[in-house]
Amino acid sequence: MKLRCTICGREYDRPVQRCECGEPVEFELFHGKPYIGKTVWERFYDFWPVEPDPELSLGEGDTPLIRSKLGNELGIKLYLKNETVNPTWSFKDRGTFLAISHAVKEGYKAVGTVSTGNMAASVAAYAAKAGLKAKILVSEEASKEKLKAVSVYGADVIRVKGDYGRLYFKSLKLGERLGVYFMNSDNPLRVEGYKGISFEIAEEITPDYVLIPTSSGGLFRGVAKGFIELFVSGLIDRIPTLVAVQAEGCSPICRAFKEGKERIERFESPKTIAHAIENPYPPSGNAVLKLFREMGGLCVTVSDEEIIKAQAELAREGLFVQPSSATGIAALKKLNLPEGVNVVSILTGSGLKALSTAPLGKVRECSIEKLRECIENNS
Amino acid sequence: MKLRCTICGREYDRPVQRCECGEPVEFELFHGKPYIGKTVWERFYDFWPVEPDPELSLGEGDTPLIRSKLGNELGIKLYLKNETVNPTWSFKDRGTFLAISHAVKEGYKAVGTVSTGNMAASVAAYAAKAGLKAKILVSEEASKEKLKAVSVYGADVIRVKGDYGRLYFKSLKLGERLGVYFMNSDNPLRVEGYKGISFEIAEEITPDYVLIPTSSGGLFRGVAKGFIELFVSGLIDRIPTLVAVQAEGCSPICRAFKEGKERIERFESPKTIAHAIENPYPPSGNAVLKLFREMGGLCVTVSDEEIIKAQAELAREGLFVQPSSATGIAALKKLNLPEGVNVVSILTGSGLKALSTAPLGKVRECSIEKLRECIENNS
């Protein structure tokens, strides 16, 4: 097991969580070939840093890739990678599964995470499955709706007063001392788990662009590493252009990208409806910027208005996603892509996760006696 | 295309929705062999009454079968069929997909359903995908939470005052006249779609018992027909014992079963936390009773208290389901099954669907300065 710092390049023989320089580490590139198998874990067995333990699985991954009509107007072939059908209804489950497999193998009795939404529920669920204790650190602002969806799994939910960004680093340090394996947003095993999204896409189509809602940068890094590994293994001919999408109201990575900087800066007073990607100081921000320099790519911001519109458009195709998951579609119109290209947008989490903030559509009233008129009358 | 009444046996050459005697019709038995394929629709191509149209699919089916520890104490091998990871997060999507494929093929421009929960969202989503209008008739009591999850797909949501049971039949008649294809709970194509659950189970294990949350009877009939068709096709050696599970507070089928009757009677003043299976006069009730007489099986009732307990036990294994979906596990303890048998419980829908009624677990408060103590201190 060899890890390398994404920024300074320092190498580690043990599975540290971050480099001494403060930047994220990552596993070296895996090479391999695909096998026949039911799950992505089996088919891409050569590419995981830890043996995926079926006993700890909740059936994550192997999600549908759906052809969308939303690309027709733009003359592109659009596909939606529906991660909302994972066991806790977000892409986080792929990373949590690998990170939990690692924690169990290393003998940890407790795991943790810093999150208020998708990742919190995911870690709580997989810890329950594995019989581990889970310490879930949530922010003061966590809504009752979100806390319910985490506490149901029996996790120890701790609402922490104080700077949420500091909590990321403090939890890692405390975890090391207390024997709690914190699998935060860009944990190296978590990033490896997200590669499965790229593997599954490549099994079905040859994408030219992949749109990735980007917060911590963990998902972006995982998807990038997945395609790079397929390429160096000779399994695909070219690596698609990756597009990081952020909300205008919280876009530290896109701002640095636009200004040609190598380092992100904290985004002050973040504000967006897309709470799941509202990270003002993404821990993998610099690593994502470095990937842009090495492999090209784009960073696009979208407004809350555009996000809400895209969310409605997706629902009109039968896919109800949370606001952050609609950012890829919102970005599409701004990109001016060449005609005929294959584009994939990753739908990261279910709309049911943020139902309390969703608008109530029109509901008509009718008596059973007047039913015929009500059905005929097209509102 | 040949359909037969489940009760009186009368045959039909066209796809009627119900027999003239008022009872449900069903397609004749399909025979066939399995193929290699990515989706259950491809692998069991011989067994569907209509060509499944990939253009109309949202990626339903092919859900995980997960080994559970909840059977260990009872000495049985327990598996959970996780239908909560379908595109609208319930098993309904399998049936809706086939029924929509049929409606499109027949040239309908509008579809409809009578439902307040899972089926309403499912029909709204698939209609959106197919570009059809959707008329969703909901009851007066429908909560805002449920209406949101339906209206988001752009359906025409009509809240109907009056007897909900009558609405089932009235909608079918009106639909015929108005050119709206109503795909209600036990629509014959819907029932065919549920067979995929049996097919997928049989691909992985040889079950001895299958626990089925039962409301209208549509799911039960679909699962039964699936196993029967595998058996007559020589693909399995034996048909498992099917167990219908109902909530004590609304158990018309189990009551008739216990009293040895051939016909169900309306269950007066139904009351249960498991709203998704709270049907006081299930349209396929008599058809389910007939299946019991022909192939054996069991009908078990569970209390709300037992349901809530089972829901918590499932969450402690990482699977958050709605109350109705926990009834199978609640029933398990009452069944006194022989040691070593393979048991499957079908988890029909996501816990996020009824989040507003879910309890909020314990949440501790902590300052970032005291984080160490908070993590060490085991609540």
Side-chain angles (χ1 to χ4, degrees):
Chain A
M1 190 184 294
K2 192 171 268 182
L3 294 103
R4 188 177 287 112
C5 177
T6 52
I7 301 297
C8 77
R10 182 175 167 161
E11 292 188 356
Y12 295 86
D13 286 329
R14 57 200 177 81
V16 298
Q17 290 245 27
R18 291 190 85 79
C19 181
E20 281 174 22
C21 78
E23 293 292 342
V25 292
E26 71 178 7
F27 286 92
E28 56 189 345
L29 288 184
F30 292 87
H31 299 66
K33 59 178 191 301
Y35 302 95
I36 288 175
K38 187 174 164 67
T39 71
V40 69
W41 309 114
E42 296 165 311
R43 295 195 302 282
F44 293 86
Y45 184 81
D46 292 346
F47 295 86
W48 314 118
V50 62
E51 178 92 24
D53 184 348
E55 291 276 309
L56 306 175
S57 171
L58 290 169
E60 58 295 318
D62 289 294
T63 59
L65 187 70
I66 298 163
R67 183 68 192 272
S68 166
K69 290 184 187 126
L70 294 175
N72 291 5
E73 258 182 46
L74 302 167
I76 60 166
K77 291 194 206 104
L78 178 63
Y79 298 83
L80 306 168
K81 185 65 174 162
N82 186 12
E83 293 294 304
T84 78
V85 296
N86 275 296
T88 73
W89 309 292
S90 90
F91 75 97
K92 295 284 186 184
D93 293 336
R94 295 177 185 262
T96 305
F97 170 56
L98 273 198
I100 287 266
S101 295
H102 170 74
V104 168
K105 194 179 147 223
E106 297 280 308
Y108 284 93
K109 301 291 177 233
V111 296
T113 200
V114 177
S115 161
T116 300
N118 291 330
M119 194 164 53
S122 181
V123 172
Y126 279 80
K129 174 72 178 167
L132 301 177
K133 282 187 182 160
K135 305 285 179 181
I136 311 292
L137 311 184
V138 304
S139 76
E140 280 182 274
E141 295 84 36
S143 69
K144 200 178 162 190
E145 178 185 37
K146 289 190 172 159
L147 293 177
K148 272 185 179 184
V150 177
S151 62
V152 68
Y153 296 108
D156 187 9
V157 181
I158 307 172
R159 198 199 309 247
V160 186
K161 288 192 190 75
D163 183 79
Y164 202 61
R166 233 182 93 205
L167 199 52
Y168 175 99
F169 292 97
K170 182 147 186 178
S171 66
L172 291 185
K173 277 198 186 137
L174 272 177
E176 246 176 72
R177 255 180 269 155
L178 302 175
V180 180
Y181 189 72
F182 269 86
M183 39 187 78
N184 294 345
S185 53
D186 61 351
N187 167 286
L189 283 124
R190 188 174 277 293
V191 169
E192 293 292 312
Y194 302 150
K195 297 188 308 192
I197 296 173
S198 310
F199 298 162
E200 295 168 22
I201 291 171
E203 286 181 303
E204 298 201 51
I205 62 162
T206 301
D208 298 296
Y209 295 84
V210 180
L211 307 169
I212 308 165
T214 300
S215 180
S216 70
L219 174 60
F220 187 94
R221 286 178 48 212
V223 171
K225 192 162 187 276
F227 282 115
I228 292 168
E229 291 181 356
L230 290 178
F231 183 75
V232 298
S233 298
L235 297 172
I236 58 174
D237 291 331
R238 64 178 192 273
I239 294 171
T241 301
L242 301 189
V243 184
V245 189
Q246 298 204 288
E248 263 176 30
C250 185
S251 46
I253 297 175
C254 287
R255 187 177 59 188
F257 176 78
K258 201 176 166 193
E259 294 173 355
K261 290 184 178 160
E262 291 192 13
R263 302 266 161 170
I264 57 159
E265 278 167 36
R266 177 177 293 276
F267 200 93
E268 299 301 339
S269 311
K271 191 178 182 308
T272 170
I273 190 184
H275 297 300
I277 55 169
E278 193 175 14
N279 191 329
Y281 194 60
S284 277
N286 298 335
V288 170
L289 290 172
K290 192 165 180 231
L291 280 170
F292 280 137
R293 293 195 299 279
E294 288 169 359
M295 60 187 284
L298 293 163
C299 205
V300 181
T301 62
V302 291
S303 70
D304 277 7
E305 205 180 305
E306 290 163 335
I307 291 170
I308 290 168
K309 188 161 173 273
Q311 187 188 25
E313 285 174 340
L314 283 165
R316 296 305 199 269
E317 283 209 340
L319 293 163
F320 179 31
V321 301
Q322 59 187 156
S324 63
S325 304
T327 53
I329 296 304
L332 206 54
K333 289 160 195 170
K334 303 183 148 182
L335 277 169
N336 230 336
L337 299 177
E339 269 196 28
V341 292
N342 284 332
V343 181
V344 179
S345 186
I346 302 176
L347 308 183
T348 45
S350 165
L352 295 181
K353 298 251 184 174
L355 199 55
S356 71
T357 62
L360 174 60
K362 200 176 150 192
V363 176
R364 292 196 281 153
E365 306 282 338
C366 187
S367 70
I368 196 160
E369 288 75 25
K370 295 211 168 158
L371 191 57
R372 180 178 181 138
E373 290 85 335
C374 294
I375 291 177
E376 276 185 307
N377 177 357
N378 270 321
S379 52
Chain B
M1 188 184 293
K2 193 170 268 180
L3 294 102
R4 188 177 287 113
C5 177
T6 52
I7 301 297
C8 77
R10 184 175 164 160
E11 292 189 357
Y12 296 86
D13 286 329
R14 55 197 180 83
V16 298
Q17 289 244 26
R18 291 190 86 80
C19 181
E20 281 173 21
C21 77
E23 293 292 342
V25 291
E26 72 178 6
F27 286 91
E28 55 189 348
L29 288 184
F30 293 88
H31 298 68
K33 58 179 192 300
Y35 304 96
I36 289 175
K38 187 176 164 64
T39 71
V40 68
W41 309 112
E42 296 165 310
R43 296 194 302 282
F44 292 86
Y45 184 82
D46 293 345
F47 295 85
W48 314 118
V50 61
E51 178 91 23
D53 183 348
E55 292 277 309
L56 306 175
S57 171
L58 291 169
E60 59 294 317
D62 289 294
T63 59
L65 187 70
I66 298 162
R67 183 68 193 272
S68 166
K69 290 185 189 126
L70 294 175
N72 292 3
E73 256 182 49
L74 302 168
I76 60 167
K77 290 192 206 104
L78 178 64
Y79 299 84
L80 306 168
K81 185 66 174 161
N82 186 12
E83 292 294 302
T84 78
V85 295
N86 275 296
T88 73
W89 310 292
S90 90
F91 75 97
K92 294 284 185 184
D93 292 335
R94 297 177 183 263
T96 305
F97 170 56
L98 272 199
I100 287 267
S101 296
H102 169 74
V104 168
K105 194 179 147 224
E106 298 280 308
Y108 285 93
K109 301 291 177 231
V111 297
T113 200
V114 177
S115 160
T116 300
N118 291 331
M119 193 163 53
S122 181
V123 172
Y126 280 79
K129 174 73 176 167
L132 301 177
K133 281 186 183 163
K135 304 285 179 180
I136 311 293
L137 311 184
V138 304
S139 76
E140 281 183 275
E141 295 85 36
S143 69
K144 200 177 161 190
E145 178 185 39
K146 290 192 171 158
L147 292 177
K148 272 185 179 183
V150 177
S151 62
V152 68
Y153 296 108
D156 187 9
V157 181
I158 306 173
R159 200 201 305 250
V160 186
K161 288 193 189 75
D163 183 79
Y164 202 61
R166 236 182 92 203
L167 199 52
Y168 175 99
F169 292 97
K170 184 148 185 177
S171 66
L172 291 185
K173 278 198 186 137
L174 273 176
E176 245 175 71
R177 257 181 266 155
L178 302 175
V180 180
Y181 190 72
F182 269 86
M183 40 187 79
N184 294 345
S185 53
D186 62 352
N187 167 286
L189 283 123
R190 189 174 276 295
V191 169
E192 293 291 313
Y194 302 150
K195 295 188 308 191
I197 296 174
S198 310
F199 298 162
E200 294 168 21
I201 292 171
E203 286 181 303
E204 299 201 50
I205 62 161
T206 300
D208 298 295
Y209 295 84
V210 181
L211 307 169
I212 308 165
T214 300
S215 181
S216 70
L219 174 61
F220 187 94
R221 285 177 48 212
V223 172
K225 193 161 186 277
F227 282 115
I228 292 169
E229 291 181 356
L230 291 178
F231 183 75
V232 297
S233 297
L235 297 171
I236 58 173
D237 292 330
R238 63 178 192 271
I239 294 172
T241 301
L242 302 189
V243 184
V245 189
Q246 298 205 290
E248 262 176 29
C250 184
S251 46
I253 298 175
C254 287
R255 187 177 59 187
F257 175 79
K258 202 177 165 192
E259 294 172 355
K261 290 185 177 158
E262 291 193 10
R263 302 263 160 172
I264 57 158
E265 276 167 37
R266 175 176 296 276
F267 201 92
E268 300 300 339
S269 311
K271 192 178 180 307
T272 170
I273 191 185
H275 298 299
I277 55 169
E278 193 176 13
N279 190 330
Y281 194 61
S284 276
N286 298 335
V288 170
L289 290 173
K290 192 165 180 231
L291 279 170
F292 280 136
R293 293 196 298 279
E294 287 169 1
M295 60 188 283
L298 293 164
C299 205
V300 181
T301 63
V302 291
S303 70
D304 277 7
E305 206 180 303
E306 291 163 335
I307 292 171
I308 290 168
K309 187 161 174 270
Q311 187 188 25
E313 286 174 340
L314 283 165
R316 296 305 199 270
E317 283 209 341
L319 294 163
F320 179 32
V321 301
Q322 58 187 157
S324 62
S325 304
T327 52
I329 296 305
L332 206 53
K333 288 160 196 168
K334 302 183 150 183
L335 277 169
N336 230 333
L337 298 176
E339 268 197 29
V341 292
N342 284 332
V343 182
V344 179
S345 186
I346 302 177
L347 308 183
T348 46
S350 164
L352 294 181
K353 299 250 185 176
L355 199 54
S356 71
T357 62
L360 173 60
K362 200 175 151 193
V363 177
R364 292 196 282 155
E365 307 283 338
C366 187
S367 68
I368 195 160
E369 288 73 27
K370 296 211 166 157
L371 191 58
R372 180 177 181 139
E373 290 84 336
C374 293
I375 291 178
E376 276 185 310
N377 177 358
N378 271 322
S379 51

